[in-house]
Amino acid sequence: MSNWAWTALALFAVWAVTAFGIRAAVQRRRTGDAGFRGISGRPGSASWWAGVLFVLSLLGGAAAPAAALAGMPTLPDAGDSTALRWTGLAVALAGMAATLVAQSGMGTSWRVGVDAAERTELVTSGLFAYVRNPVFTAMTVTAAGLALMVPNALAVLAWLALVLAVELQVRVVEEPYLARVHGPAYVGYTARAGRFVPGVGRRACIPGA
């Protein structure tokens, strides 16, 4: 069990460094700006909770394998299933690769958070031709894989926090912003691409709908 926890912890570290650290360094080299916009909204608002839950999910993702190493038991139905952990490894690796591909596809439009006064290019090619939020989809898949590798309560809570954070960030912050900035072009895009999964959530992001 400890080997799987160490592997999950190492993968999480690599994922965090590449998806945020290296990506931010690339963004700064290209644009002079690392792309971090931070938590938006007033404390207690839905947009604020999106940012807080995202941070908590990342902290929980690192803490889950550490807790497993410290002796936290797995969930009752998980047991010591080797097949479950190998599945988690495969899912995590696929999610990590998809995260990097999706981020690369954003080019200089990549951001962490939203600045309402900023205007970025609307990306609709590559993975974005099928899914409007492939980075978030890939991150959720990665977190699910890591949770399967160390299936304890903390891992599950971290994954649930990420899912809720992503839903709030997309629906409350990003979709209204993109609809306001890009207008009909974005509305037309929502009719073609799903929100998180191809074909699912099309035309569902018009503010007030």
Side-chain angles (χ1 to χ4, degrees):
M1 179 62 189
S2 63
N3 289 338
W4 283 109
W6 279 116
T7 302
L9 189 59
L11 285 178
F12 179 88
V14 170
W15 179 49
V17 169
T18 54
F20 296 103
I22 294 177
R23 180 62 208 178
V26 170
Q27 186 76 0
R28 180 178 290 279
R29 189 176 71 248
R30 289 178 175 176
T31 68
D33 180 358
F36 287 98
R37 297 297 178 264
I39 297 174
S40 60
R42 67 182 186 281
S45 66
S47 57
W48 180 84
W49 273 112
V52 170
L53 286 170
F54 187 79
V55 172
L56 290 176
S57 71
L58 292 178
L59 293 175
L69 290 169
M72 176 178 279
T74 60
L75 296 173
D77 292 337
D80 295 322
S81 172
T82 301
L84 181 69
R85 286 157 179 78
W86 277 110
T87 299
L89 176 60
V91 171
L93 290 173
M96 291 170 66
T99 300
L100 298 180
V101 171
Q103 287 182 325
S104 178
M106 293 187 72
T108 58
S109 293
W110 180 80
R111 298 288 189 277
V112 176
V114 170
D115 180 351
E118 194 173 26
R119 181 185 177 92
T120 59
E121 179 185 356
L122 179 62
V123 180
T124 60
S125 59
L127 294 179
F128 290 84
Y130 309 99
V131 179
R132 302 198 300 273
N133 302 282
V135 175
F136 284 143
T137 299
M139 292 181 69
T140 304
V141 169
T142 304
L146 293 172
L148 291 175
M149 293 174 67
V150 285
N152 55 35
L154 189 54
V156 173
L157 289 174
W159 182 79
L160 290 174
L162 178 60
V163 170
L164 183 54
V166 165
E167 287 284 354
L168 286 173
Q169 179 69 16
V170 167
R171 294 172 186 269
V172 177
V173 179
E174 297 195 0
E175 289 181 343
Y177 161 77
L178 290 169
R180 177 177 57 81
V181 170
H182 296 288
Y186 183 66
V187 174
Y189 173 50
T190 68
R192 304 191 303 272
R195 179 179 276 119
F196 300 113
V197 178
V200 179
R202 290 181 296 183
R203 295 182 181 274
C205 70
I206 301 175

